[in-house]
Amino acid sequence: MPTVLRLISSMATKALLADLVSLYQTQNPDVRVQVESVGGVDAAKRVQAGENFDGVVLASDAIDKLITSGHVLAGSRVDLVLSGVAVAVPAGQTAPDISTEAALKAAILAAPSLGYSTGPSGVQLAKQFEAWGITEQIQDRIVQAKPGVPVGALIAQGKVALGFQQLSEMRGVAGITVLGPLPAAVQITTTFSGSVAANSTQTEAVRALLAFWASPACKTLKVEHGMHAA
């Protein structure tokens, strides 16, 4: 009987994990890895509610909170990837300049609508708006994507004129043009980590899986998905 590992992750790493699972199973045919990807907020809630998972892949701060609450095992966190935020507009729309912090701020102030997620990138972006002192000016134009809903989809539907989300979630979305990453001065980098769920009965198998995903063997796949090895 094959070992079956059940994991939950946020949407940001969905496509990457699908490829990482395939690579791992090619080398470990006796292991079956099932990953359910949902909004990060919902994923954390389900783990906190005691739902049975063997492993969890979320932003590192979310993993740390689950360690503190005892829902994932202390000492089992493995940093997997670093993910930056990209900016996109509807396909065919004139692309604003976002090459510098000043240009990005101007583009945000000029945009008729702005979109970001409930995930870590959205939280940090809101803080950046506050640092610039423009929150009140743009508040009525902000469209926050619901957990599990890609910002890219809202852009493609014409609901958002200028959208922000992890590059990994923007890649390959039809109907949008990715302008590029946030300028280096204000780039938001999220570390996504894996950990062993506290109620897993296959802890060593999960540790072996996470160790492989963190190894140099997976570096190329991470870059292909717009991320970098942690």
Side-chain angles (χ1 to χ4, degrees):
M1 290 288 290
T3 297
V4 179
L5 300 177
R6 183 172 181 238
L7 280 72
I8 191 167
S9 81
S10 60
M11 296 299 292
T13 54
K14 179 180 180 178
L16 170 64
L17 290 182
D19 283 349
L20 291 179
V21 166
S22 296
L23 181 60
Y24 188 74
Q25 290 182 162
T26 297
Q27 301 184 24
N28 298 271
D30 57 335
V31 179
R32 293 286 178 268
V33 183
Q34 302 170 349
V35 181
E36 182 179 357
S37 297
V38 299
V41 173
D42 290 338
K45 286 180 179 177
R46 288 172 62 180
V47 175
Q48 290 167 337
E51 191 170 338
N52 285 324
F53 294 104
D54 293 296
V56 185
V57 178
L58 292 171
S60 58
D61 60 342
I63 290 290
D64 288 345
K65 289 177 182 176
L66 292 173
I67 290 174
T68 300
S69 64
H71 291 94
V72 301
L73 297 183
S76 70
R77 173 181 146 184
V78 177
D79 294 341
L80 300 174
V81 287
L82 302 175
S83 179
V85 172
V87 188
V89 296
Q93 180 176 306
T94 301
D97 179 13
I98 62 161
S99 61
T100 65
E101 180 178 352
L104 175 65
K105 181 179 176 180
I108 289 170
L109 289 172
S113 55
L114 303 156
Y116 57 82
S117 74
T118 55
S121 63
V123 173
Q124 293 303 314
L125 197 62
K127 291 180 180 179
Q128 184 60 57
F129 295 158
E130 291 176 8
W132 281 337
I134 63 172
T135 300
E136 290 188 9
Q137 287 176 260
I138 64 174
Q139 193 67 54
D140 294 341
R141 290 181 269 147
I142 293 174
V143 179
Q144 191 166 34
K146 295 179 180 179
V149 176
V151 174
L154 299 180
I155 299 171
Q157 293 163 13
K159 296 178 181 178
V160 168
L162 190 69
F164 306 81
Q165 198 163 30
Q166 308 287 336
L167 175 59
S168 60
E169 294 185 76
M170 292 284 201
R171 292 165 69 95
V173 177
I176 73 172
T177 298
V178 178
L179 304 180
L182 291 175
V186 291
Q187 177 57 276
I188 298 165
T189 301
T190 301
T191 301
F192 286 94
S193 309
S195 196
V196 182
N199 53 11
S200 174
T201 59
Q202 304 178 98
T203 58
E204 292 311 309
V206 180
R207 289 181 191 275
L209 174 70
L210 295 177
F212 177 78
W213 283 353
S215 74
C218 298
K219 181 178 179 180
T220 300
L221 273 180
K222 294 171 182 178
V223 173
E224 289 175 359
H225 283 274
M227 301 182 181
H228 297 282

